[in-house]
Amino acid sequence: MITARLQTEPFDAAAEQAALIGARTDLGAAVSFTGLVRADDGLVALTLEHYPAMTLAQLQAIAAEAASRWPGTFGTIIHRHGRMLPGEPIVLVVTASPHRGDAFAAAQFLMDWLKTKAPFWKREAWADGSTRWVEAKGSDDAAAERW
Amino acid sequence: MITARLQTEPFDAAAEQAALIGARTDLGAAVSFTGLVRADDGLVALTLEHYPAMTLAQLQAIAAEAASRWPGTFGTIIHRHGRMLPGEPIVLVVTASPHRGDAFAAAQFLMDWLKTKAPFWKREAWADGSTRWVEAKGSDDAAAERW
Amino acid sequence: MVTLLYFAWVREMVGTDSETLTLPAEATTVAALLDWLATRSPGHDAALADRSRIRVAVDQQFAAPDTPLHNPREIAIFPPVTGG
Amino acid sequence: MVTLLYFAWVREMVGTDSETLTLPAEATTVAALLDWLATRSPGHDAALADRSRIRVAVDQQFAAPDTPLHNPREIAIFPPVTGG
């Protein structure tokens, strides 16, 4: 079971991992990925716009795809939207599995697909008052296509 | 900079990740891997023996190798030894990097090398009173050799 | 009637986040729809000028340029996504 | 004089975690050392019977069977590692 949530407020990665594992003792590996707002030279904030009617369904579809590829792997996806400051977390992917290979692979898959298939757009606000929409990266397409 | 520690007591993965990131705002990705004692049918405890004169130096050598392969990636390795119960954490690898690919790769590299190059041996204790030394897995050798 | 939704810089260049209209008969595919939309205003034209930077979802499913349109209810037009 | 250290089931089969002794002249490599050690007791012999399951560190560095021994101070003999 891999679940997905969408929220504006920050998340507590450790609490999410603990909740995912719960009382289970058949899991040998837990992987947590946190995406953070980088303070590239003069960046003052990042605003994430998204497509409300589609976003959560798309995250859930990505989660379902991972669950079918890695049966026995549990996971949680949390993606924030709205305005965030440098150093703040944007996205969390936590996976837990009997073996480390599956936990790592599922976490990377979820991030790679999410990067190219979830309808979010980042707008950067700079110290000089300008704003700029982040450009999609070809490396993200390549990462998503390797799975 | 990737540092390594050896200890008997459990660790706090979230606190380690927070300490690793500190006040830095140039890191866009943090990956945390926790290895846990799996309660395979009737396992009551795991005891990790190690080679005191060699273990920490070997973990530090693995850390140095990762730091040279992924410059700009920060990391913390904590490996426990002694007796542990099902569900308890055994090993922690946390990495943080400007980009997610490096954070994921460095964490996986550290785990793969640690599995085959750090002098630890696991002994399982079972509900029927028997004990058994865990056998090394060929899949771990293969994982270590892909880097 | 179909609702068109615009996101990110497509929204800014078109000048609205949504519009509801009746599709013309020639809008049989995603690509044909974009061709027609580009004629609606200078803003639409500018936003859609470089089709390699445009992505489309039809009824909340990603769609390719040759995807046929069968009475869609909602079509969203936006740049390549940049979340995560 | 060299200190030999044994770990995990090698330690249990040899029956001690360490011994200090003088290497014979023929122990010029790791493999030759293991051949000689196996003659010291039935426990040593049993522990070292399957060389594919034996790993060695010379002065705290992993060593291959053909690694030459130049006045080592500490040689550790153990199964393939299983940490992590």
Side-chain angles (χ1 to χ4, degrees):
Chain A
M1 183 69 180
I2 303 179
T3 60
R5 276 150 48 201
L6 188 65
Q7 62 188 47
T8 54
E9 64 273 19
F11 46 77
D12 178 341
E16 295 299 333
Q17 181 170 307
L20 180 66
I21 294 175
R24 299 184 67 101
T25 52
D26 57 340
L27 302 171
V31 169
S32 156
F33 175 87
T34 305
L36 302 158
V37 181
R38 268 203 322 274
D40 293 335
D41 264 352
L43 182 93
V44 295
L46 204 61
T47 301
L48 268 94
E49 181 172 327
H50 74 113
Y51 181 178
M54 184 176 174
T55 314
L56 185 59
Q58 193 67 8
L59 291 177
Q60 288 169 336
I62 294 166
E65 178 65 28
S68 79
R69 292 184 185 216
W70 292 277
T73 295
F74 296 77
T76 303
I77 305 170
I78 301 176
H79 206 301
R80 292 176 67 197
H81 61 99
R83 190 166 186 274
M84 297 160 218
L85 303 178
E88 282 192 44
I90 304 168
V91 60
L92 175 70
V93 163
V94 185
T95 58
S97 195
H99 300 288
R100 78 182 186 287
D102 288 349
F104 267 122
Q108 283 186 281
F109 170 86
L110 287 167
M111 280 307 304
D112 287 346
W113 271 37
L114 189 158
K115 281 263 176 187
T116 59
K117 297 178 200 290
F120 292 97
W121 300 273
K122 288 194 183 101
R123 188 172 54 182
E124 299 170 334
W126 297 86
D128 65 4
S130 66
T131 64
R132 186 177 68 191
W133 290 97
V134 172
E135 289 280 325
K137 286 185 286 191
S139 59
D140 284 334
D141 290 329
E145 277 158 22
R146 69 189 160 130
W147 297 100
Chain B
M1 183 68 178
I2 303 179
T3 59
R5 278 150 48 201
L6 187 65
Q7 62 189 46
T8 54
E9 63 272 18
F11 45 77
D12 178 340
E16 295 300 333
Q17 181 169 306
L20 180 66
I21 294 174
R24 301 185 68 102
T25 52
D26 58 340
L27 301 172
V31 169
S32 157
F33 175 88
T34 305
L36 301 157
V37 181
R38 268 202 323 273
D40 293 333
D41 264 352
L43 182 92
V44 294
L46 205 61
T47 301
L48 268 95
E49 179 170 327
H50 75 113
Y51 180 0
M54 184 176 174
T55 314
L56 186 59
Q58 193 67 9
L59 291 177
Q60 289 169 335
I62 294 166
E65 178 65 29
S68 79
R69 292 184 185 216
W70 292 278
T73 295
F74 296 77
T76 303
I77 304 170
I78 301 177
H79 207 301
R80 294 176 68 197
H81 61 98
R83 189 166 187 275
M84 295 161 219
L85 303 179
E88 282 192 45
I90 304 168
V91 59
L92 176 71
V93 163
V94 186
T95 58
S97 193
H99 301 287
R100 78 182 186 289
D102 288 350
F104 267 122
Q108 283 186 281
F109 171 87
L110 287 167
M111 279 308 303
D112 287 346
W113 271 37
L114 189 158
K115 279 264 176 186
T116 58
K117 297 177 200 291
F120 291 95
W121 300 274
K122 289 194 182 101
R123 187 173 55 181
E124 300 169 333
W126 297 87
D128 64 4
S130 66
T131 66
R132 185 176 71 191
W133 290 97
V134 172
E135 289 280 325
K137 286 186 287 192
S139 59
D140 284 334
D141 290 330
E145 277 157 22
R146 69 189 161 132
W147 297 100
Chain C
M1 299 289 277
V2 62
T3 300
L4 300 181
L5 302 176
Y6 304 108
F7 292 102
W9 55 256
V10 175
R11 170 176 55 72
E12 293 176 341
M13 292 177 78
V14 170
T16 183
D17 60 2
S18 70
E19 51 187 335
T20 299
L21 43 75
T22 301
L23 294 188
E26 72 257 34
T28 55
T29 64
V30 165
L33 167 69
L34 297 180
D35 289 342
W36 173 74
L37 269 181
T39 67
R40 285 185 39 94
S41 81
H44 287 80
D45 187 42
L48 303 175
D50 180 355
R51 297 291 166 83
S52 75
R53 300 178 70 211
I54 295 295
R55 298 292 181 272
V56 175
V58 176
D59 289 330
Q60 299 155 25
Q61 300 288 327
F62 285 109
D66 61 358
T67 300
L69 299 180
H70 301 300
N71 295 314
R73 286 164 299 135
E74 180 175 296
I75 299 177
I77 303 172
F78 44 76
V81 304
T82 58
Chain D
M1 299 290 276
V2 62
T3 300
L4 299 182
L5 302 176
Y6 304 108
F7 292 100
W9 54 257
V10 175
R11 169 175 56 71
E12 292 178 340
M13 291 178 77
V14 170
T16 183
D17 61 1
S18 71
E19 52 187 334
T20 299
L21 44 75
T22 301
L23 293 187
E26 72 257 34
T28 55
T29 65
V30 164
L33 167 68
L34 297 180
D35 289 343
W36 174 74
L37 268 182
T39 67
R40 284 184 42 92
S41 81
H44 288 79
D45 187 41
L48 302 176
D50 180 355
R51 295 294 165 81
S52 73
R53 300 178 70 211
I54 295 295
R55 299 292 179 274
V56 175
V58 176
D59 289 330
Q60 297 154 25
Q61 301 289 328
F62 285 108
D66 61 357
T67 299
L69 298 180
H70 301 299
N71 295 315
R73 285 163 299 135
E74 180 174 297
I75 298 177
I77 302 172
F78 44 75
V81 304
T82 58

